[in-house]
Amino acid sequence: MSGGVLGVALRRIGVSLPLIFLVSVLVFVVLRLIPADPVAMSVPPNATKAEIEALRAEMGLTLPIYEQFWIWFTKAAQADFGKSIAFAQPVSRLIGQSLPATIELVLVAAVFATVIGLAGGLIMYRLSGGRGEAASDLASTLIMSIPEFLWAIFFILLFGVALNILPFTGRLDAGITVDRITGFLLVDTLLQGRFGAFVNTLAHLLLPAMALALGTAALLMRVLRSSLLEVGNEDYMMMARLRGFSERQVLVRHAFKNAFLPTLNLMGVQFSFLFGGTLLVEVIYSYPGLGSLMVQAVANTDLPVIQGVALVYAVAVLLINLGVDLTALMLNPKLRIAK
């Protein structure tokens, strides 16, 4: 990594840290405004008032809210999010068990979105000005208009129920077990030489990943098509055509390279949305990731888990945006100089 890129990375991290702190404050304060008592979730119905007050003091709920927040935040900075009320386990352990599943789902969805979006954008560009332009515009608009959870339900009904060719619950079939090494099943199955389990894991990922990917893919298509049209009349494009390059060579060697950067910036924003969009999709597919954990925590008013998962989501989104920014800087030296 060059000095310019490293400097930008350090500045981005410097900006991200206050944002993480502000998100932490917001989440903590909002949860304290909810009319729900976490102590009531932790004591038996026949608990005495003295026992309830003792537990409230033990949980630190008798302290001023700013002291409660500072105690929690300083521990969270050390990856200690407290103990789950509903699961009676450390929150960090629950997150550690669920996070790899969500990351794996998002990565597969990002690959699908990128491949479909870039390929579709090139096709839409080639159709521009022709008979297929209106049809491609209509198709991309229709895909974008359908939210992830509706795609998820549609895929279950079509591929899981009607055609019965793909699984739509969990990460593996019930009779298959894989030893946990990294938590990423696609990686763990390969490390253990379990190629049948690898295929089974991938089959379970296809429907939820595609449900997440389609909306982002359609948006990438349209942005890439617009960027290609914008650079299509630049002087260097004319020169390439005059030098005898075919339209396909001009598109791949010159137009795509210059039109990709605006698309890359959009990919960063959209991949952040992918991470957040996992919540409903994971619930629909009974997928044991971070989104499912969050839904269970909300249902049980499990404040420590809600706080921990919300903070992890915020950090993940910031890291995704940082990664895309640095990738854009490395691909475009002009941006590096501007910084």
Side-chain angles (χ1 to χ4, degrees), residues 3-27:
V5 176
L6 180 60
V8 172
L10 293 175
R11 286 198 294 273
R12 290 282 196 277
I13 293 172
V15 172
S16 298
L17 293 178
L19 288 176
I20 293 173
F21 180 79
L22 290 175
V23 169
S24 304
V25 172
L26 181 62
V27 170

Side-chain angles (χ1 to χ4, degrees), residues 28 34 38 43 48 87 120 123 129 139 180 186 206 208 220 276 304 310 313-314 328:
F28 193 90
I34 296 175
V43 296
T48 64
F87 299 98
I123 293 171
R180 182 184 178 91
L186 291 177
L206 287 179
L220 293 181
Y313 268 114

Side-chain angles (χ1 to χ4, degrees), residues 236-266:
Y236 61 85
M237 295 284 288
M238 300 297 184
M239 291 298 297
R241 293 188 178 99
L242 291 174
R243 291 170 60 187
F245 288 110
S246 67
E247 197 62 31
R248 181 178 179 181
Q249 290 174 317
V250 171
L251 176 62
V252 174
R253 294 185 183 181
H254 300 280
F256 180 78
K257 182 172 64 175
N258 291 280
F260 178 67
L261 287 175
T263 310
L264 178 64
N265 292 330
L266 176 67

Side-chain angles (χ1 to χ4, degrees), residues 186-218:
L186 291 177
V187 176
D188 291 348
T189 51
L190 289 178
L191 290 176
Q192 297 171 49
R194 303 277 304 280
F195 298 109
F198 174 84
V199 172
N200 191 266
T201 300
L202 190 58
H204 281 78
L205 279 168
L206 287 179
L207 294 186
M210 191 60 72
L212 279 173
L214 279 182
T216 296

Side-chain angles (χ1 to χ4, degrees), residues 109-122 124 140 144 213-227 259-260 262-271 274:
V111 171
F112 285 166
T114 301
V115 172
I116 297 170
L118 297 184
L122 292 172
M124 289 181 71
S140 62
M144 282 193 303
L214 279 182
T216 296
L219 191 55
L220 293 181
M221 290 181 199
R222 297 178 69 88
V223 171
L224 179 59
R225 192 269 305 269
S226 298
S227 299
F260 178 67
T263 310
L264 178 64
N265 292 330
L266 176 67
M267 286 166 64
V269 177
Q270 290 302 307
F271 289 170
L274 277 184

Side-chain angles (χ1 to χ4, degrees), residues 172-185:
L172 281 170
D173 285 349
I176 300 176
T177 57
V178 176
D179 294 335
R180 182 184 178 91
I181 300 175
T182 65
F184 299 93
L185 283 183

